[in-house]
Structures are given as structure tokens and as C-alpha cells.
Amino acid sequence: MYLPIGITTMTDQDKAIESRISEKAVDSFNDAPNARYKQIMRSLVRHLHAFVSEVELTEQEWFEGIRFLTETGHKCDGLVRQEFILLSDTLGVSMLVDAINHRHSASATDTTVFGPFYIEGMPEREFGENMAFTPGEAALVRGRVVDTQGKPLADAVLDVWQTAENGMYSGQDTEQPFGNLRGRYRTDANGYFAIRTIVPVCYPIPTDGPVGRMLDAANRHPWRPAHLHFMIDAPGYRKLVTHLFNHDDPYLDSDAVFGVKHSLQVIYEDRVSHDDLSADLGMQVPFKRACYEFVMEAE
């Protein structure tokens, strides 16, 4: 049997001592007045102790883990960079929490991870307004927001964000103009929306911190497939947080944060002539167009 350096074969007495330590730690939360807090903390400590016992964690490995978490906290800046969310994303925890908390009817649009680069308070944009202030392949993203019965939802708010062509979000890249590739759009009376932007590109998540070192140690790549973020709000409906992924992206099957769902893939089709909307918006041809219908579930 393999044993870590410095670890000897465990006796029955050792097992009893370690078991008592775990039991005492779990039971220390028995008097917590909040039942949900008690449930979570007892389970967390139980599973944490089981992990330590299973891998026979050495003191050096324990210290490295503490240092890793400390450095993860230091890498968070409180505004744009959230290394703990990035860690949760790359461990698949974010998608698991999303799946548990967003069980919905088969007809509702699938959710996916929120991501670490959302910024509140971005500009309100008009129907079809261009949110791209940096170069890229011009695109028109249009569609509708409806409920599960197909009823259009007027005045729904679509908070949208994406990276620039250099693979970085505004805020993350301080040279981008304020609000670049970000904005809050609203649906019209018939539930339609229109967003002028650029075609999203695939990009690597930040690798200059602890999460990057973890991926490197695991021989994992840091790439996310090209996508457009959406957070959609409508009174009386469950908030929808999701992406639209480019259907032909090479990283769809190996997303670093496990966020891809087939139902969220869209085609950016070539347009060499105007459609009814692009002409009214004064778009130059050629451009790319993607269409999608978001289905929201009542609260």
C-alpha cells in the first residue's frame, strides 16, 4: 500500500483517535440556532475530514492548501477579478450549484455559470444600439423573450456582456472604453430585442494566479468557447443567467468551466444584404446575424 512520506501504517488506536477528532468537530455545530447553517456546517466538516483521512494529507500538503487559498483571496480585487468564483468554475462547483438551483421545466431556457467578470451599473441601451467600441466582426443578435406558454414578455431587461477581440472584458482590460461590450437592453411591446455588437471570440481564463497554476499542474487548458453573457429579468419570472455559444467553436467540448449546453449554441450566419431590422439600424453589410428565443419560467 502506498503511504505518503512520513506516514506510517495506522493502528486501531489511531483510527479511534482520528474518528473522535472528526466526531467532536462535527458535533461542535449541534447547538447552532439556525437549522440550515447547522446542516451545512456539519456536512461540510464531515466531508472535509473524510477527504483528509482518505488521502492521508501530510502537514506539508495541508500548508500548501492553506497557502493556495490565501493567494486566491489576495488575487480578488472586489470589482472585476474574483479568483474564488474562477476556482469554483474550474472545479465544476459553479455548474453543479447552478444545476441544483435551476431545475426547471423542459421548455424553459437552460442556465449556465454567471462568471467572474460581471459589472453592475452598465449603460442602458436603446433597441438595436451598438455596444461595441472596439474592433471586431460586426454582428446583430436579435430574438424574443417569452414565457413557457409562448407569451411575449415586454420590457424584460437583458443585461449583456462579452469580451473584446483580445479575449478580455472591459474592466479587466483597463484600455477598453467604459461600458465596452456591456449594456442593459429591454424588449419591446412584443417581446423582441436587438443588440448590435461584434462576434464573440474564444479566450483563456486568467492564468496569472492560483487557478492558473492549478490548471497547469493538472495539464488542463484554460480556454472558454466564444459566448455572449445574458442576465435577464422580468417581473414575476425567475431571473435567467445564461450564455449564447458560437456553434462552431473548437472548445465547446472542453470548456474550462464546464458551462456549455447544446441548447445554448447559436449560428452567426453571414448576411450580405439587409434584413428588415439591420437596414433600419443603419448597419453596414456584410455582417453576422444570430437569432435566439429566451423562454422564462414564472416564479
Side-chain angles (χ1 to χ4, degrees):
M1 179 179 70
Y2 167 78
L3 292 174
I5 296 174
I7 302 295
T8 58
T9 303
M10 184 166 55
T11 66
D12 289 341
Q13 183 179 6
D14 294 328
K15 290 180 182 179
I17 292 172
E18 293 170 18
S19 179
R20 284 197 296 273
I21 292 171
S22 297
E23 288 175 6
K24 284 186 176 181
V26 171
D27 291 344
S28 70
F29 291 93
N30 284 349
D31 295 330
N34 184 294
R36 178 61 172 167
Y37 176 80
K38 173 182 174 180
Q39 177 191 16
I40 289 173
M41 292 307 299
R42 281 174 53 88
S43 181
L44 171 64
V45 173
R46 186 182 303 112
H47 286 281
L48 182 60
H49 280 236
F51 157 73
V52 172
S53 296
E54 177 186 341
V55 301
E56 295 275 317
L57 200 67
T58 68
E59 289 182 326
Q60 178 62 29
E61 291 164 343
W62 171 81
F63 182 77
E64 287 296 324
I66 296 296
R67 185 166 69 177
F68 176 86
L69 293 175
T70 302
E71 291 177 359
T72 300
H74 288 165
K75 202 63 179 177
C76 302
D77 64 14
L79 178 62
V80 176
R81 182 69 176 267
Q82 229 305 348
E83 193 79 359
F84 273 112
I85 291 182
L86 201 62
L87 177 60
S88 174
D89 289 350
T90 53
L91 292 176
V93 175
S94 299
M95 279 302 295
L96 181 57
V97 171
D98 175 81
I100 292 169
N101 285 269
H102 295 94
R103 295 165 180 152
H104 53 67
S105 63
S107 58
T109 297
D110 281 327
T111 57
T112 191
V113 291
F114 187 64
F117 295 110
Y118 173 74
I119 300 177
E120 291 185 2
M122 288 296 99
E124 298 282 339
R125 303 214 183 270
E126 298 295 328
F127 188 90
E129 182 180 342
N130 189 3
M131 69 174 187
F133 308 137
T134 49
E137 191 170 14
L140 174 62
V141 180
R142 59 184 300 185
R144 275 203 317 169
V145 178
V146 300
D147 67 12
T148 53
Q149 306 304 313
K151 173 188 172 183
L153 300 182
D155 208 35
V157 177
L158 296 88
D159 212 336
V160 186
W161 66 104
Q162 70 177 95
T163 65
E165 273 207 325
N166 65 358
M168 299 181 73
Y169 293 89
S170 63
Q172 179 190 19
D173 176 8
T174 57
E175 293 187 4
Q176 292 182 34
F178 171 79
N180 183 46
L181 295 164
R182 298 178 184 268
R184 290 166 55 84
Y185 293 83
R186 293 179 184 270
T187 55
D188 66 13
N190 296 309
Y192 288 101
F193 67 88
I195 302 162
R196 287 178 62 187
T197 183
I198 58 175
V199 177
V201 298
C202 55
Y203 64 90
I205 61 173
T207 57
D208 59 340
V211 171
R213 295 200 300 274
M214 179 194 74
L215 295 179
D216 187 59
N219 196 28
R220 287 174 55 187
H221 75 69
W223 287 85
R224 293 222 63 203
H227 60 273
L228 185 59
H229 288 266
F230 287 86
M231 181 167 64
I232 307 176
D233 269 310
Y237 292 85
R238 298 177 67 179
K239 181 182 293 185
L240 174 61
V241 175
T242 194
H243 302 357
L244 292 183
F245 295 93
N246 300 26
H247 84 289
D248 56 353
D249 192 279
Y251 295 105
L252 288 174
D253 295 328
S254 60
D255 182 8
V257 308
F258 315 101
V260 177
K261 296 179 180 178
H262 182 75
S263 65
L264 301 176
Q265 297 177 30
V266 294
I267 297 174
Y268 283 84
E269 59 178 348
D270 292 310
R271 297 290 302 181
V272 295
S273 60
H274 283 298
D275 59 22
D276 58 321
L277 180 58
S278 62
D280 291 341
L281 296 176
M283 294 189 69
Q284 295 184 344
V285 293
F287 64 93
K288 297 275 192 176
R289 184 182 68 180
C291 301
Y292 196 82
E293 184 172 84
F294 293 102
V295 181
M296 300 187 71
E297 193 167 51
E299 288 182 336

